[in-house]
């Protein structure tokens, strides 16, 4: 029996969240609605400028694991934090949420725990300014055989490809998981990430069992329109998932295609929508649901998280799935 239903590997980032209007974003030189990497000095300046800030454990894959834990799956997270106040908060919070934080906080060294300053606009858009800190040092030595090799499903974060050591960690984890009979897949993370690593990601689409991306990421990966991009991706990969803001989600596996409609809602905070879509989808994937049902589970989990502040579910997702007759 596998020790974990799903193991994720990604950046361990403390989310620091604050409300901000467009004039504040302009004043601070923050580009609205996207994730930007910042250096330590700018990160400290933005942190100091935040009012009524709330902190929570974050990072894309870690948010997905929190959703899967909410759904009752056994989850583990491979990440790297410093042995400082934020790092200890992060490790403790992950464990309290039901996800094993398998690597203890790292003592010594100069790099602090990673943090993302998230400014939420009145329209629900989030503008993320991320200082990577120690999580950027994640490497193959952080991947234990008895963690990645004990996962039924491995979920990888595309951002890790920004550092050679992250790429090596990623490839080691996928090799261990698949070598033990598990399934490994990736979230493409964002179009800029795809632009930086297009050749590597095209190889991954062919090598992995499933790939999740949004419309812009798939178009960037294949440098063509969405229809052509998904046709190429479906020929390359085992299972392709494409989310499109406000439009049908498309899932393709071999000759089978599912289109799942989404309900349009005005978001309170769009943070975590993609992460929780992945949680719902992966729950369906892990429990042997059809493409359509797995996609509907993803949409339901995403709709829940954008109805409140924060990137993690606040309600019982399994009860929500029952109400929607998904289980």
């Amino acid at each position: 029996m596998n020790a974990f239903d799903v193991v994720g590997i990604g950046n361990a980032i403390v989310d620091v969240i604050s409300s901000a209007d467009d004039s504040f974003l302009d004043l601070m030189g923050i580009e609205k609605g996207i994730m930007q990497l910042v250096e330590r000095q700018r990160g400290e300046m933005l942190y100091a400028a935040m009012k009524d800030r709330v902190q929570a454990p974050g990072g894309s894959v870690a948010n997905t694991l929190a959703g899967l834990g909410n759904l009752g799956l056994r989850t583990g997270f491979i990440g790297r934090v410093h042995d400082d106040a934020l790092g200890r908060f992060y490790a403790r919070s992950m464990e309290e949420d039901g996800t094993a934080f398998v690597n203890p906080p790292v003592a010594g060294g100069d790099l602090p725990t990673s943090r993302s300053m998230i400014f939420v606009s009145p329209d629900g858009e989030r503008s993320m300014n991320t200082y990577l800190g120690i999580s950027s040092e994640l490497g193959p030595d952080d991947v234990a055989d008895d963690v990645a090799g004990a996962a039924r499903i491995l979920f990888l974060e595309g951002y890790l490809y920004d550092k050679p050591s992250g790429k090596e960690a990623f490839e080691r984890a996928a090799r261990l998981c698949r070598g033990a009979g598990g399934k490994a897949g990736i979230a493409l993370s964002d179009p800029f990430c795809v632009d930086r690593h297009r050749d590597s990601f095209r190889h991954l689409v062919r090598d992995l069992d499933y790939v999740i991306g949004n419309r812009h990421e798939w178009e960037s990966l294949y440098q063509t329109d969405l229809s052509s991009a998904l046709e190429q991706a479906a020929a390359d990969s085992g299972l392709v998932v494409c989310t499109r803001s406000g439009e049908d989600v498309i899932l393709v596996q071999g000759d089978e295609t599912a289109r799942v409609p989404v309900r349009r809602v005005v978001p309170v905070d769009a943070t975590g929508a993609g992460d929780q879509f992945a949680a719902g989808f992966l729950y369906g994937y892990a429990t042997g649901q059809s493409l359509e049902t797995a996609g509907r589970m993803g949409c339901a989990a995403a709709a829940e998280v954008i109805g409140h502040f924060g990137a993690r579910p606040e309600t019982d997702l399994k009860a929500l799935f029952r109400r929607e007759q998904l289980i």
Side-chain angles (χ1 to χ4, degrees):
M1 179 176 169
N2 296 88
F4 299 103
D5 293 309
V6 182
V7 167
I9 176 169
N11 287 308
I13 300 172
V14 177
D15 286 342
V16 187
I17 305 166
S18 177
S19 298
D21 58 22
D22 289 356
S23 61
F24 176 87
L25 300 182
D26 289 341
L27 178 68
M28 303 302 288
I30 296 168
E31 191 168 345
K32 184 177 178 178
I34 69 164
M35 195 286 288
Q36 291 179 299
L37 294 178
V38 297
E39 297 301 322
R40 187 171 182 171
Q41 184 175 359
R42 178 162 172 78
E44 290 172 349
M45 183 270 288
L46 292 174
Y47 182 82
M50 301 181 90
K51 294 180 181 177
D52 301 321
R53 54 184 178 245
V54 176
Q55 70 182 35
S60 179
V61 163
N63 290 337
T64 297
L65 292 173
L68 289 164
N70 178 293
L71 284 159
L73 296 191
R74 297 161 301 156
T75 56
F77 180 57
I78 299 169
R80 192 173 177 87
V81 297
H82 187 64
D83 189 13
D84 54 18
L86 280 181
R88 290 188 292 273
F89 161 79
Y90 191 98
R92 183 176 65 251
S93 298
M94 291 293 290
E95 293 280 352
E96 288 171 354
D97 282 346
T99 292
F101 190 79
V102 299
N103 298 323
V106 179
D110 295 329
L111 291 176
T113 295
S114 312
R115 73 284 314 264
S116 182
M117 281 63 67
I118 302 173
F119 297 92
V120 182
S121 308
D123 60 2
E125 280 285 351
R126 82 271 195 227
S127 307
M128 305 171 71
N129 301 265
T130 302
Y131 168 61
L132 284 179
I134 197 172
S135 70
S136 64
E137 292 191 331
L138 184 77
D141 290 345
D142 296 305
V143 179
D145 290 25
D146 60 357
V147 177
R152 288 176 55 219
I153 295 172
L154 184 71
F155 186 43
L156 307 165
E157 183 175 305
Y159 288 126
L160 284 182
Y161 260 65
D162 280 334
K163 286 287 183 73
S165 61
K167 182 177 180 179
E168 290 167 17
F170 197 107
E171 291 171 346
R172 172 172 160 76
R175 189 166 59 248
L176 286 166
C177 175
R178 299 185 86 206
K183 304 283 191 183
I186 186 175
L188 294 175
S189 293
D190 77 15
F192 303 106
C193 188
V194 174
D195 286 342
R196 292 191 295 271
H197 307 293
R198 184 172 289 110
D199 289 345
S200 291
F201 281 0
R202 283 192 180 179
H203 283 296
L204 279 173
V205 171
R206 289 192 287 272
D207 291 343
L208 297 179
D209 299 291
Y210 66 91
V211 182
I212 304 171
N214 65 29
R215 171 184 202 128
H216 305 296
E217 290 155 7
W218 285 115
E219 289 176 341
S220 172
L221 184 64
Y222 289 100
Q223 297 177 289
T224 186
D225 63 273
L226 183 63
S227 178
S228 299
L230 292 182
E231 190 175 320
Q232 290 183 61
D236 286 346
S237 180
L239 172 56
V240 170
V241 182
C242 176
T243 60
R244 303 182 296 165
S245 294
E247 298 182 65
D248 292 0
V249 173
I250 303 170
L251 303 95
V252 186
Q253 186 170 32
D255 296 331
E256 183 184 358
T257 298
R259 289 179 175 267
V260 178
V262 300
R263 288 196 304 269
R264 286 181 175 270
V265 296
V266 177
V268 173
D269 172 14
T271 309
D275 303 337
Q276 295 312 319
F277 173 85
F281 163 75
L282 286 172
Y283 178 79
Y285 186 60
T287 56
Q289 305 299 323
S290 68
L291 286 188
E292 181 183 357
T293 300
R296 288 177 63 200
M297 287 175 164
C299 291
E304 187 280 336
V305 81
I306 66 175
H308 56 76
F309 278 98
R312 300 187 173 194
E314 291 185 350
T315 60
D316 181 336
L317 291 180
K318 196 171 277 190
L320 174 65
F321 288 178
R322 286 195 188 97
R323 288 198 299 274
E324 304 222 355
Q325 299 183 316
L326 297 172
I327 52 176

